[in-house]
Amino acid sequence: MDKRQFLKASGVLIGRTMLSHLASREQQAPTRTNWAGNYTYSTDRLNLPKTVEEVQQVVKSRSPLKALGARHSFNGIADTTGEQISLKYLDSMVVEPKARTVTVGAGVTYGQLAPYLDGQGYALHNLASLPHISVAGACATATHGSGNKNGNLSTAVSAIEIVTADGEAVVLSRERDGERFPGAVVALGGLGVVTKVTLDVRPTFQVKQVVYENLPMAQLESHLEDIFSSGYSVSLFTDWQNHRVTQVWIKSRVEQGTSSKLAPEFFGAKLATKKLHPLQGHAAENCTEQMGIPGPWFERLPHFRMNFTPSSGAELQSEYFVPRDKGYEAILAVEQLRDRVTPHLLISELRTIDADNLWMSPCYKQPSMAIHFTWKPEWPAVRMILPMIEEKLAPFNAKPHWAKLFTMSPSRLKSLYVRLPDYQALLGRYDPGGRFRNEFLRTNIYGGL
Ligand SMILES: Cc1cc2nc3c(=O)[nH]c(=O)nc-3n(C[C@H](O)[C@H](O)[C@H](O)COP(=O)(O)OP(=O)(O)OC[C@H]3O[C@@H](n4cnc5c(N)ncnc54)[C@H](O)[C@@H]3O)c2cc1C
């Protein structure tokens, strides 16, 4: 019996004997994959605690252990050869009006949280392209939306509760723990199992979304800032052909008294005459409302609607962050690869993100532009193209999205994070024995240890 078979066999036994008094576990579940189906987890053992106490018991009795969110990451960041723990039953949501915060159980998705918050008169500062992801999983990987003045989603975190390796529930807050809190928010699942997240909220607001087609890419040479600051959140889509942005999505806050008239042209692009999906041939029904029709923030800031398939479904994703002031140069560098990239691409998206102070965020102290690739599910070809893109973007010190596919060497990746030694020290403090260490962290953070 090899080690994996032994662990599987013994895991089933432990599960059976402890089930009555410990967190329930999905036993002998069919092989599980991530959302896109491109990554099969190395374990089929999943713990499903219903309380923080049960999480603590799981943490004390299982090693190695890895928290699993909504399974939307494209690489092995949520994988382990030991056991996984899903917090989906920890789904409480409590608004604290005086503090202007909401505290959520770590299983809560943005799709659950946003309508609840809106119903209480509140909003988050931003959302990613889809609401299906969990708050804890998104914040652990510095997931972002767009907007020159919008930090990534984890910048809204003001406190977290983490069950660390010794089974203690530790609360860290922005206010009280300034010296280590910025290292604990974008933690890549390494510090422990997050059980609660507290987020800043603001009064609810309305947003309208307008789409323009065919923006000449050359307009970005002198107008990149103007274009990305033309709305609260702006996304540009391109297939890299014809030096052209195929669609511009502008999400603007609707202020009272402002005109509802839509400009027919935008830097040479034309106002769309019907609702569009960023991917040609896909149903626009899956997308949030466009055509300038105002609606609540959470029904406009994501591109995709909650009960519909986001993006394509059959796809891979990669994304690289570059300094915003080098954005156009970086676009030109990738564009040189267009004839290698386009045949395997569904679509690329360009977004901007404000700087933050979170140690492992790709936007640490850097206003950024993110160059995203939604690929066809053709990994052998994509794996050959990624090193070329990474080479073209190397002069801009491009950092890959933690949760998407990249081929950058661990030594290169580590050299891009100036606060990595501090993060490693934090891991040493909260997980000295490596209970939450997985192959992804061993390779990219610990350097093979
Ligand atoms: C269709 C699609 C669209 C996307 N759009 C965007 C986008 O617009 N912007 C963007 O930046 N990214 C985007 N992503 C990537 C996505 O936001 C990230 O993969 C995100 O981390 C997924 O969250 P999740 O809940 O699925 O977490 P998982 O993928 O399950 O886990 C991600 C990480 O979080 C950790 N984690 C999860 N829960 C906990 C917990 N309770 N305690 C400790 N650690 C935990 C895991 O261990 C793992 O390290 C997209 C992905 C897909 C599939």
Side-chain angles (χ1 to χ4, degrees):
M1 189 182 277
D2 68 17
K3 193 172 159 211
R4 192 166 142 67
Q5 285 169 320
F6 169 75
L7 283 171
K8 261 190 188 149
S10 55
V12 169
L13 279 179
I14 295 166
R16 277 193 192 130
T17 51
M18 298 185 87
L19 205 75
S20 55
H21 55 96
L22 199 61
S24 73
R25 180 196 285 177
E26 273 179 10
Q27 287 191 34
Q28 293 170 322
T31 308
R32 281 175 303 105
T33 68
N34 64 345
W35 171 85
N38 71 298
Y39 192 96
T40 301
Y41 298 118
S42 312
T43 178
D44 56 8
R45 279 167 291 142
L46 180 67
N47 296 275
L48 292 159
K50 293 198 168 67
T51 62
V52 173
E53 292 68 35
E54 288 187 356
V55 174
Q56 293 176 294
Q57 290 179 54
V58 171
V59 168
K60 282 182 195 159
S61 60
R62 312 274 197 269
S63 182
L65 183 71
K66 186 51 69 178
L68 186 64
R71 300 182 296 113
H72 277 64
S73 297
F74 287 86
N75 57 33
I77 194 166
D79 196 13
T80 175
T81 51
E83 301 198 11
Q84 287 172 316
I85 178 168
S86 161
L87 289 275
K88 73 175 181 188
Y89 294 126
L90 271 70
D91 57 0
S92 60
M93 300 185 275
V94 181
V95 167
E96 291 147 80
K98 267 202 183 147
R100 284 244 176 135
T101 59
V102 62
T103 298
V104 300
V108 169
T109 64
Y110 286 98
Q112 292 168 286
L113 174 60
Y116 163 78
L117 269 185
D118 192 62
Q120 310 272 317
Y122 295 102
L124 298 171
H125 78 291
N126 209 0
L127 290 167
S129 69
L130 78 177
H132 309 62
I133 51 181
S134 73
V135 172
C139 292
T141 63
T143 288
H144 63 94
S146 194
N148 278 359
K149 294 189 181 148
N150 294 324
N152 66 41
L153 302 190
S154 35
T155 59
V157 178
S158 67
I160 39 174
E161 180 182 87
I162 317 175
V163 175
T164 55
D166 56 6
E168 290 303 307
V170 176
V171 177
L172 293 176
S173 85
R174 190 198 282 147
E175 214 175 319
R176 281 194 318 270
D177 306 289
E179 83 294 355
R180 61 206 142 125
F181 182 73
V185 180
V186 180
L188 316 176
L191 289 187
V193 180
V194 172
T195 41
K196 286 196 193 104
V197 185
T198 302
L199 302 169
D200 296 333
V201 295
R202 56 184 63 187
T204 185
F205 56 95
Q206 295 268 302
V207 175
K208 67 177 180 187
Q209 180 162 245
V210 182
V211 175
Y212 289 88
E213 293 185 272
N214 298 321
L215 175 84
M217 194 73 93
Q219 288 285 359
L220 291 167
E221 182 171 10
S222 342
H223 300 297
L224 189 137
E225 271 305 304
D226 302 329
I227 287 170
F228 276 111
S229 60
S230 64
Y232 183 75
S233 161
V234 175
S235 289
L236 311 186
F237 293 94
T238 181
D239 58 7
W240 300 104
Q241 294 296 319
N242 307 313
H243 202 47
R244 170 192 75 139
V245 167
T246 51
Q247 294 178 16
V248 179
W249 289 36
I250 305 175
K251 301 164 194 273
S252 308
R253 286 185 66 137
V254 179
E255 312 293 354
Q256 273 194 339
T258 52
S259 160
S260 58
K261 240 181 114 203
L262 307 179
E265 274 209 34
F266 178 79
F267 291 94
K270 300 272 182 298
L271 185 65
T273 52
K274 61 176 195 303
K275 193 175 161 185
L276 297 174
H277 193 290
L279 298 175
Q280 241 189 355
H282 283 66
E285 187 199 12
N286 295 14
C287 299
T288 47
E289 203 57 75
Q290 302 166 13
M291 312 294 288
I293 301 164
W297 57 282
F298 68 97
E299 291 181 356
R300 298 294 181 279
L301 292 176
H303 302 331
F304 304 106
R305 294 163 71 193
M306 182 61 194
N307 295 318
F308 291 77
T309 304
S311 199
S312 149
E315 67 192 59
L316 304 172
Q317 293 189 10
S318 307
E319 190 166 32
Y320 297 92
F321 298 80
V322 297
R324 192 151 80 219
D325 58 5
K326 298 271 185 289
Y328 187 62
E329 286 169 63
I331 290 167
L332 293 183
V334 175
E335 205 181 34
Q336 290 171 23
L337 297 170
R338 60 185 172 276
D339 292 337
R340 300 298 300 262
V341 166
T342 311
H344 305 289
L345 187 76
L346 288 168
I347 200 70
S348 266
E349 182 178 6
L350 309 171
R351 288 180 280 185
T352 55
I353 309 102
D354 202 0
D356 60 52
N357 72 339
L358 304 171
W359 301 347
M360 297 310 287
S361 160
C363 305
Y364 180 73
K365 308 263 186 216
Q366 174 186 283
S368 301
M369 188 186 81
I371 308 178
H372 165 87
F373 303 82
T374 301
W375 302 104
K376 294 175 186 167
E378 298 171 356
W379 179 234
V382 173
R383 195 180 52 198
M384 304 303 286
I385 297 167
L386 291 182
M388 297 178 206
I389 295 175
E390 289 168 6
E391 195 186 326
K392 288 285 181 202
L393 291 178
F396 311 102
N397 287 331
K399 301 185 189 99
H401 194 303
W402 287 114
K404 301 185 182 178
L405 297 164
F406 57 89
T407 54
M408 191 174 287
S409 74
S411 56
R412 170 72 183 161
L413 183 58
K414 285 194 278 186
S415 73
L416 298 170
Y417 282 89
V418 291
R419 301 302 298 268
L420 181 75
D422 299 314
Y423 174 61
Q424 287 170 326
L426 209 57
L427 289 171
R429 172 175 178 167
Y430 287 113
D431 186 22
R435 191 177 282 262
F436 304 110
R437 215 175 280 190
N438 62 2
E439 197 51 41
F440 184 92
L441 291 178
R442 257 193 296 279
T443 305
N444 295 302
I445 301 298
Y446 290 96
L449 297 177

